[in-house]
Amino acid sequence: GVERTVGFRAEHISLVSADCGNAEYALDGTVDFTEPLGPETLVHVLSAGTAAIVRIPGFASYKHGSKVRLTADRSKAVEF
């Protein structure tokens, strides 16, 4: 098979607790820091040596070091 890179926009990624069930597109990660921006919060997550940003509506309070799982809807995937 052909190796592909799959990407998602920040607003198409969801955060759930690290012990939440499996999803087709899921990565475990650790919260690095959050950026409250008023109408939304950017949550910076480190996963497998890669940084990811998740855009969450409203205020989200995740603490540095919190274990989370990033999930995404396959229909929103962009392949490279």
Side-chain angles (χ1 to χ4, degrees):
V2 177
E3 187 173 315
R4 298 180 187 182
T5 300
V6 177
F8 294 91
R9 294 185 56 83
E11 59 269 21
H12 296 146
I13 302 172
S14 299
L15 286 181
V16 296
S17 65
D19 58 357
C20 194
N22 293 333
E24 183 174 6
Y25 286 114
L27 293 171
D28 291 328
T30 304
V31 173
D32 189 18
F33 64 97
T34 60
E35 289 184 79
L37 302 176
E40 64 190 13
T41 301
L42 299 181
V43 181
H44 296 255
V45 178
L46 301 175
S47 177
T50 301
I53 301 172
V54 181
R55 182 179 294 160
I56 297 177
F59 179 77
S61 60
Y62 287 92
K63 293 181 180 176
H64 173 76
S66 295
K67 302 295 184 195
V68 294
R69 179 164 289 159
L70 294 85
T71 63
D73 178 349
R74 182 181 182 155
S75 70
K76 305 291 185 183
V78 178
E79 292 185 18
F80 302 93

Coordinates of all heavy atoms in Angstrom, one line a residue:
G1 N 0.8 -1.2 0.0 CA 0.0 0.0 0.0 C 0.8 1.3 0.0 O 2.1 1.2 0.2
V2 N 0.2 2.3 -0.3 CA 0.8 3.6 -0.4 C 0.7 4.3 1.0 O -0.3 4.3 1.6 CB 0.1 4.5 -1.4 CG1 0.7 5.9 -1.4 CG2 0.2 3.9 -2.8
E3 N 1.9 4.9 1.5 CA 1.9 5.6 2.7 C 1.3 7.0 2.5 O 1.6 7.7 1.5 CB 3.3 5.7 3.3 CG 3.3 6.3 4.7 CD 4.7 6.3 5.3 OE1 5.3 5.2 5.2 OE2 5.1 7.3 5.8
R4 N 0.4 7.4 3.4 CA -0.3 8.7 3.2 C -0.2 9.4 4.6 O -0.2 8.8 5.6 CB -1.7 8.5 2.8 CG -1.9 7.9 1.5 CD -3.4 7.8 1.2 NE -3.5 7.0 0.0 CZ -4.6 6.7 -0.6 NH1 -5.7 7.1 -0.1 NH2 -4.6 6.0 -1.7
T5 N -0.3 10.7 4.5 CA -0.3 11.6 5.6 C -1.8 12.1 5.7 O -2.3 12.6 4.7 CB 0.6 12.8 5.6 OG1 2.0 12.2 5.5 CG2 0.5 13.7 6.8
V6 N -2.4 12.0 6.9 CA -3.8 12.5 7.1 C -3.7 13.7 8.0 O -3.1 13.6 9.0 CB -4.6 11.4 7.7 CG1 -6.1 11.9 7.9 CG2 -4.7 10.2 6.7
G7 N -4.4 14.7 7.7 CA -4.5 15.9 8.5 C -5.9 16.3 8.8 O -6.8 16.0 8.0
F8 N -6.1 17.1 9.8 CA -7.4 17.6 10.2 C -7.2 19.1 10.6 O -6.2 19.5 11.2 CB -8.0 16.9 11.4 CG -8.3 15.4 11.1 CD1 -7.4 14.4 11.3 CD2 -9.6 15.1 10.6 CE1 -7.7 13.1 11.0 CE2 -9.9 13.8 10.3 CZ -8.9 12.8 10.5
R9 N -8.2 19.9 10.4 CA -8.2 21.3 10.9 C -8.5 21.3 12.4 O -9.1 20.4 12.9 CB -9.3 22.1 10.1 CG -8.9 22.3 8.7 CD -9.9 23.2 8.0 NE -10.0 24.5 8.6 CZ -9.1 25.5 8.4 NH1 -8.1 25.4 7.6 NH2 -9.3 26.7 9.0
A10 N -8.0 22.3 13.1 CA -8.1 22.4 14.5 C -9.5 22.3 15.0 O -9.8 21.6 16.0 CB -7.5 23.7 15.0
E11 N -10.5 22.8 14.3 CA -11.9 22.8 14.7 C -12.5 21.5 14.4 O -13.7 21.2 14.9 CB -12.7 23.9 14.0 CG -12.7 23.9 12.5 CD -11.5 24.7 11.9 OE1 -10.5 25.0 12.5 OE2 -11.7 25.0 10.7
H12 N -11.9 20.5 13.7 CA -12.4 19.2 13.4 C -11.9 18.1 14.4 O -12.2 17.0 14.2 CB -12.2 18.8 12.0 CG -12.9 19.8 11.0 ND1 -12.3 20.1 9.8 CD2 -14.0 20.5 11.1 CE1 -13.1 20.9 9.2 NE2 -14.2 21.2 10.0
I13 N -11.1 18.5 15.4 CA -10.6 17.6 16.3 C -11.3 17.8 17.7 O -11.6 18.9 18.1 CB -9.0 17.8 16.5 CG1 -8.3 17.7 15.2 CG2 -8.5 16.9 17.6 CD1 -6.9 18.1 15.3
S14 N -11.6 16.7 18.3 CA -12.2 16.8 19.6 C -11.3 16.2 20.7 O -10.5 15.3 20.4 CB -13.5 16.0 19.6 OG -14.4 16.5 18.7
L15 N -11.4 16.7 21.9 CA -10.7 16.1 23.0 C -11.6 15.3 23.9 O -12.7 15.8 24.2 CB -10.1 17.2 23.9 CG -8.9 17.9 23.3 CD1 -8.4 19.0 24.3 CD2 -7.8 17.0 22.9
V16 N -11.2 14.1 24.3 CA -12.0 13.3 25.3 C -11.0 12.9 26.3 O -9.7 13.0 26.1 CB -12.7 12.2 24.6 CG1 -13.7 12.6 23.6 CG2 -11.7 11.2 23.9
S17 N -11.5 12.3 27.4 CA -10.5 11.8 28.4 C -9.7 10.6 27.8 O -10.2 9.9 26.9 CB -11.3 11.4 29.7 OG -12.1 10.3 29.4
A18 N -8.5 10.5 28.3 CA -7.6 9.5 27.8 C -8.1 8.0 27.9 O -7.7 7.2 27.1 CB -6.3 9.6 28.5
D19 N -9.1 7.8 28.8 CA -9.6 6.4 28.9 C -10.9 6.2 28.2 O -11.5 5.2 28.3 CB -9.8 6.1 30.4 CG -10.7 7.0 31.1 OD1 -11.2 8.0 30.5 OD2 -11.0 6.8 32.3
C20 N -11.3 7.2 27.3 CA -12.5 7.1 26.5 C -12.3 6.0 25.5 O -11.2 5.8 25.0 CB -12.8 8.4 25.9 SG -14.5 8.5 25.3
G21 N -13.3 5.4 25.0 CA -13.3 4.4 24.0 C -12.5 4.7 22.7 O -12.1 5.9 22.5
N22 N -12.2 3.7 21.9 CA -11.4 3.9 20.7 C -12.2 4.5 19.6 O -13.4 4.4 19.5 CB -10.9 2.5 20.3 CG -9.9 2.0 21.2 OD1 -9.2 2.7 21.9 ND2 -9.8 0.6 21.2
A23 N -11.5 5.2 18.7 CA -12.1 5.8 17.5 C -11.2 5.5 16.4 O -10.0 5.2 16.6 CB -12.3 7.3 17.7
E24 N -11.7 5.5 15.2 CA -10.8 5.2 14.0 C -9.6 6.1 14.0 O -8.5 5.7 13.7 CB -11.6 5.3 12.7 CG -10.8 4.9 11.5 CD -11.6 4.9 10.3 OE1 -12.8 5.2 10.3 OE2 -11.1 4.5 9.2
Y25 N -9.8 7.4 14.2 CA -8.7 8.4 14.2 C -8.6 8.9 15.6 O -9.4 9.8 16.0 CB -9.0 9.5 13.2 CG -8.8 9.2 11.8 CD1 -9.9 9.1 10.9 CD2 -7.6 8.8 11.3 CE1 -9.7 8.8 9.6 CE2 -7.4 8.5 10.0 CZ -8.5 8.5 9.1 OH -8.3 8.1 7.8
A26 N -7.7 8.3 16.4 CA -7.5 8.7 17.8 C -6.1 8.7 18.1 O -5.4 7.8 17.7 CB -8.4 7.9 18.7
L27 N -5.6 9.7 18.8 CA -4.3 9.7 19.3 C -4.3 10.1 20.8 O -5.0 11.0 21.2 CB -3.4 10.8 18.6 CG -3.1 10.5 17.1 CD1 -2.5 11.8 16.5 CD2 -2.2 9.4 17.0
D28 N -3.5 9.5 21.6 CA -3.3 9.9 23.0 C -2.3 11.0 23.1 O -1.3 11.0 22.3 CB -2.9 8.7 23.9 CG -4.0 7.7 24.0 OD1 -5.2 8.1 24.0 OD2 -3.7 6.5 24.1
G29 N -2.5 11.9 24.0 CA -1.6 13.0 24.1 C -1.6 13.6 25.5 O -2.3 13.2 26.4
T30 N -0.8 14.7 25.6 CA -0.7 15.4 26.9 C -0.8 16.9 26.6 O -0.2 17.4 25.7 CB 0.7 15.1 27.5 OG1 0.9 13.7 27.7 CG2 0.9 15.8 28.9
V31 N -1.6 17.5 27.5 CA -1.9 18.9 27.3 C -0.6 19.7 27.6 O 0.0 19.5 28.7 CB -3.0 19.4 28.2 CG1 -3.1 21.0 28.1 CG2 -4.3 18.8 27.7
D32 N -0.1 20.5 26.7 CA 1.0 21.4 26.9 C 0.6 22.7 27.6 O 1.1 23.0 28.6 CB 1.8 21.6 25.6 CG 3.1 22.3 25.8 OD1 3.7 22.2 26.9 OD2 3.7 22.8 24.8
F33 N -0.3 23.4 26.9 CA -0.9 24.6 27.5 C -2.1 25.0 26.7 O -2.5 24.4 25.7 CB 0.2 25.8 27.4 CG 0.6 26.2 26.0 CD1 -0.1 27.3 25.4 CD2 1.6 25.6 25.3 CE1 0.3 27.7 24.1 CE2 1.9 26.0 24.1 CZ 1.3 27.0 23.5
T34 N -2.9 25.9 27.3 CA -4.1 26.4 26.6 C -4.0 27.9 26.4 O -3.3 28.6 27.1 CB -5.4 26.1 27.5 OG1 -5.2 26.8 28.8 CG2 -5.6 24.6 27.7
E35 N -4.8 28.3 25.4 CA -4.9 29.8 25.0 C -6.3 30.2 25.1 O -7.0 30.0 24.1 CB -4.3 30.0 23.6 CG -2.8 29.9 23.5 CD -2.4 30.3 22.1 OE1 -2.4 31.5 21.8 OE2 -2.2 29.4 21.3
P36 N -6.9 30.7 26.1 CA -8.2 31.2 26.1 C -8.3 32.5 25.3 O -7.6 33.4 25.5 CB -8.5 31.5 27.6 CG -7.4 31.0 28.4 CD -6.2 30.8 27.4
L37 N -9.2 32.4 24.3 CA -9.3 33.6 23.3 C -10.6 34.3 23.4 O -11.0 35.0 22.5 CB -9.0 33.1 21.9 CG -7.6 32.4 21.7 CD1 -7.5 31.9 20.3 CD2 -6.5 33.4 22.0
G38 N -11.4 34.0 24.4 CA -12.7 34.6 24.5 C -13.8 33.6 24.0 O -14.2 32.8 24.8
P39 N -14.1 33.7 22.7 CA -15.2 32.8 22.2 C -14.7 31.4 22.0 O -15.5 30.5 21.7 CB -15.5 33.5 20.9 CG -14.3 34.2 20.5 CD -13.7 34.7 21.7
E40 N -13.4 31.2 22.1 CA -12.9 29.8 21.9 C -11.6 29.7 22.7 O -11.0 30.6 23.2 CB -12.6 29.5 20.4 CG -11.5 30.4 19.9 CD -11.4 30.3 18.3 OE1 -12.3 29.7 17.7 OE2 -10.4 30.7 17.8
T41 N -11.2 28.4 22.9 CA -9.9 28.1 23.6 C -9.1 27.2 22.6 O -9.6 26.2 22.1 CB -10.1 27.4 24.9 OG1 -10.9 28.2 25.7 CG2 -8.8 27.1 25.6
L42 N -7.8 27.5 22.5 CA -6.9 26.7 21.7 C -6.2 25.8 22.8 O -5.6 26.4 23.7 CB -5.9 27.5 20.9 CG -6.5 28.4 19.8 CD1 -5.3 29.1 19.1 CD2 -7.4 27.6 18.9
V43 N -6.2 24.5 22.6 CA -5.6 23.6 23.5 C -4.4 23.0 22.7 O -4.6 22.3 21.7 CB -6.5 22.5 24.0 CG1 -5.8 21.6 25.0 CG2 -7.8 23.1 24.7
H44 N -3.2 23.2 23.2 CA -2.0 22.7 22.6 C -1.7 21.3 23.2 O -1.5 21.2 24.4 CB -0.8 23.6 22.8 CG -1.1 24.9 22.1 ND1 -0.4 25.3 20.9 CD2 -1.9 26.0 22.3 CE1 -0.8 26.5 20.5 NE2 -1.7 26.9 21.4
V45 N -1.6 20.3 22.4 CA -1.4 18.9 22.9 C -0.1 18.3 22.2 O 0.1 18.5 21.0 CB -2.6 18.1 22.5 CG1 -2.4 16.6 22.9 CG2 -3.9 18.6 23.2
L46 N 0.6 17.6 23.0 CA 1.8 16.9 22.5 C 1.4 15.4 22.4 O 0.9 14.8 23.3 CB 3.0 17.0 23.4 CG 3.5 18.5 23.6 CD1 4.6 18.5 24.6 CD2 3.9 19.1 22.3
S47 N 1.6 14.8 21.2 CA 1.3 13.4 20.9 C 2.4 12.8 20.1 O 2.6 13.2 18.9 CB -0.1 13.3 20.3 OG -0.4 12.0 20.0
A48 N 3.0 11.8 20.6 CA 4.0 11.0 19.8 C 5.1 12.0 19.2 O 5.5 11.8 18.1 CB 3.3 10.2 18.7
G49 N 5.5 12.9 20.0 CA 6.5 13.9 19.6 C 6.1 14.9 18.6 O 6.9 15.7 18.1
T50 N 4.8 15.0 18.4 CA 4.2 16.0 17.5 C 3.2 16.9 18.3 O 2.5 16.5 19.1 CB 3.5 15.3 16.3 OG1 4.4 14.5 15.7 CG2 2.9 16.3 15.4
A51 N 3.3 18.2 17.9 CA 2.3 19.2 18.5 C 1.1 19.3 17.7 O 1.1 19.2 16.5 CB 3.0 20.5 18.6
A52 N -0.1 19.3 18.4 CA -1.4 19.5 17.7 C -2.1 20.6 18.5 O -1.9 20.8 19.7 CB -2.2 18.2 17.8
I53 N -2.9 21.3 17.7 CA -3.8 22.4 18.3 C -5.2 22.0 18.1 O -5.6 21.7 17.0 CB -3.5 23.7 17.7 CG1 -2.0 24.1 17.9 CG2 -4.4 24.8 18.3 CD1 -1.6 25.3 17.1
V54 N -6.0 22.0 19.2 CA -7.4 21.7 19.1 C -8.2 23.0 19.5 O -7.9 23.6 20.5 CB -7.8 20.6 20.1 CG1 -9.3 20.3 20.0 CG2 -6.9 19.4 19.9
R55 N -9.1 23.4 18.6 CA -9.9 24.6 18.8 C -11.3 24.1 19.5 O -12.0 23.4 18.9 CB -10.2 25.3 17.5 CG -11.0 26.6 17.7 CD -11.2 27.2 16.4 NE -9.9 27.7 15.9 CZ -9.7 28.0 14.6 NH1 -10.7 27.8 13.7 NH2 -8.5 28.4 14.2
I56 N -11.5 24.7 20.7 CA -12.7 24.3 21.4 C -13.6 25.6 21.6 O -13.0 26.6 22.1 CB -12.3 23.7 22.8 CG1 -11.5 22.4 22.6 CG2 -13.6 23.4 23.7 CD1 -11.1 21.8 23.8
P57 N -14.9 25.5 21.3 CA -15.7 26.7 21.6 C -15.8 27.0 23.0 O -15.8 26.1 23.9 CB -17.1 26.2 21.1 CG -16.9 25.0 20.2 CD -15.6 24.4 20.8
G58 N -15.8 28.3 23.3 CA -15.9 28.8 24.7 C -14.7 28.6 25.5 O -13.6 28.5 25.0
F59 N -14.8 28.5 26.8 CA -13.7 28.4 27.7 C -13.5 26.9 28.1 O -14.4 26.2 28.5 CB -13.9 29.2 29.0 CG -12.8 29.1 30.0 CD1 -11.6 29.8 29.7 CD2 -12.9 28.3 31.1 CE1 -10.5 29.7 30.6 CE2 -11.8 28.2 32.0 CZ -10.6 28.9 31.7
A60 N -12.2 26.4 27.9 CA -11.9 25.1 28.3 C -10.8 25.1 29.3 O -9.8 25.8 29.1 CB -11.5 24.3 27.1
S61 N -10.9 24.4 30.4 CA -9.8 24.4 31.4 C -9.1 23.1 31.5 O -9.6 22.2 32.2 CB -10.3 24.9 32.7 OG -11.3 24.0 33.2
Y62 N -8.1 22.9 30.7 CA -7.3 21.7 30.8 C -6.0 22.1 31.4 O -5.4 23.1 31.1 CB -7.0 21.1 29.4 CG -8.2 20.5 28.7 CD1 -9.0 21.2 27.9 CD2 -8.4 19.1 28.9 CE1 -10.1 20.6 27.3 CE2 -9.5 18.5 28.3 CZ -10.3 19.3 27.5 OH -11.4 18.7 26.9
K63 N -5.5 21.3 32.4 CA -4.2 21.6 33.1 C -3.0 21.0 32.3 O -3.1 20.0 31.7 CB -4.3 21.0 34.5 CG -5.3 21.7 35.3 CD -5.3 21.1 36.7 CE -6.3 21.8 37.6 NZ -6.4 21.3 38.9
H64 N -1.9 21.7 32.4 CA -0.7 21.2 31.8 C -0.4 19.8 32.4 O -0.5 19.5 33.5 CB 0.5 22.2 32.3 CG 1.8 21.6 31.8 ND1 2.3 21.7 30.5 CD2 2.8 21.0 32.5 CE1 3.5 21.1 30.5 NE2 3.8 20.7 31.7
G65 N -0.1 18.9 31.4 CA 0.2 17.5 31.8 C -1.0 16.6 31.8 O -0.8 15.4 32.0
S66 N -2.2 17.1 31.6 CA -3.4 16.3 31.6 C -3.3 15.3 30.4 O -3.0 15.7 29.3 CB -4.7 17.2 31.4 OG -4.9 18.0 32.5
K67 N -3.7 14.1 30.6 CA -3.8 13.1 29.6 C -5.1 13.2 28.9 O -6.1 13.2 29.5 CB -3.6 11.7 30.1 CG -2.3 11.5 30.9 CD -1.1 11.6 30.0 CE 0.2 11.3 30.8 NZ 1.4 11.8 30.1
V68 N -5.1 13.3 27.5 CA -6.3 13.4 26.7 C -6.2 12.5 25.5 O -5.1 12.0 25.2 CB -6.5 14.9 26.3 CG1 -6.8 15.8 27.4 CG2 -5.3 15.4 25.5
R69 N -7.3 12.3 24.8 CA -7.3 11.6 23.6 C -7.9 12.5 22.5 O -8.9 13.1 22.7 CB -8.1 10.3 23.7 CG -8.2 9.5 22.4 CD -8.7 8.1 22.6 NE -7.7 7.4 23.3 CZ -7.9 6.3 24.0 NH1 -9.1 5.8 24.1 NH2 -6.9 5.7 24.6
L70 N -7.2 12.7 21.4 CA -7.6 13.5 20.3 C -8.4 12.5 19.4 O -7.9 11.5 19.0 CB -6.5 14.1 19.5 CG -5.6 15.1 20.3 CD1 -4.6 14.4 21.1 CD2 -5.0 16.1 19.3
T71 N -9.6 12.9 19.0 CA -10.4 12.2 18.0 C -10.8 13.1 16.9 O -10.9 14.3 17.1 CB -11.6 11.5 18.7 OG1 -12.5 12.5 19.2 CG2 -11.2 10.6 19.8
A72 N -11.1 12.5 15.8 CA -11.5 13.3 14.6 C -12.5 12.5 13.8 O -12.5 11.3 13.7 CB -10.3 13.7 13.8
D73 N -13.4 13.2 13.1 CA -14.4 12.6 12.2 C -13.7 12.4 10.8 O -13.1 13.3 10.2 CB -15.5 13.6 12.0 CG -16.6 13.1 11.0 OD1 -16.4 12.1 10.3 OD2 -17.6 13.8 11.0
R74 N -13.6 11.1 10.4 CA -13.0 10.7 9.2 C -13.4 11.5 8.0 O -12.6 11.8 7.1 CB -13.2 9.2 8.9 CG -12.5 8.8 7.7 CD -12.7 7.3 7.4 NE -12.0 6.9 6.2 CZ -11.5 5.7 6.0 NH1 -11.8 4.8 6.8 NH2 -10.9 5.5 4.9
S75 N -14.7 11.9 7.9 CA -15.2 12.7 6.8 C -14.5 14.1 6.6 O -14.6 14.7 5.6 CB -16.7 12.8 6.9 OG -17.1 13.7 7.9
K76 N -13.8 14.5 7.7 CA -13.2 15.8 7.7 C -11.7 15.7 7.3 O -11.0 16.7 7.3 CB -13.3 16.5 9.0 CG -14.8 16.7 9.5 CD -15.5 17.7 8.6 CE -16.9 17.9 9.2 NZ -17.7 18.8 8.4
A77 N -11.2 14.5 7.1 CA -9.8 14.2 6.9 C -9.3 14.8 5.5 O -10.1 14.8 4.5 CB -9.5 12.7 6.9
V78 N -8.1 15.3 5.5 CA -7.4 15.8 4.3 C -6.2 14.9 4.1 O -5.4 14.8 5.0 CB -7.0 17.2 4.4 CG1 -6.3 17.7 3.1 CG2 -8.2 18.1 4.7
E79 N -6.1 14.2 3.0 CA -4.9 13.4 2.7 C -3.9 14.1 1.9 O -4.3 14.8 0.9 CB -5.4 12.1 2.0 CG -6.2 11.2 2.9 CD -6.6 9.9 2.3 OE1 -5.9 9.5 1.3 OE2 -7.5 9.2 2.8
F80 N -2.6 13.8 2.2 CA -1.5 14.4 1.4 C -0.7 13.3 0.8 O -0.6 12.2 1.3 CB -0.6 15.2 2.4 CG -1.3 16.3 3.1 CD1 -1.8 16.1 4.4 CD2 -1.5 17.6 2.5 CE1 -2.5 17.1 5.0 CE2 -2.1 18.6 3.2 CZ -2.6 18.3 4.5

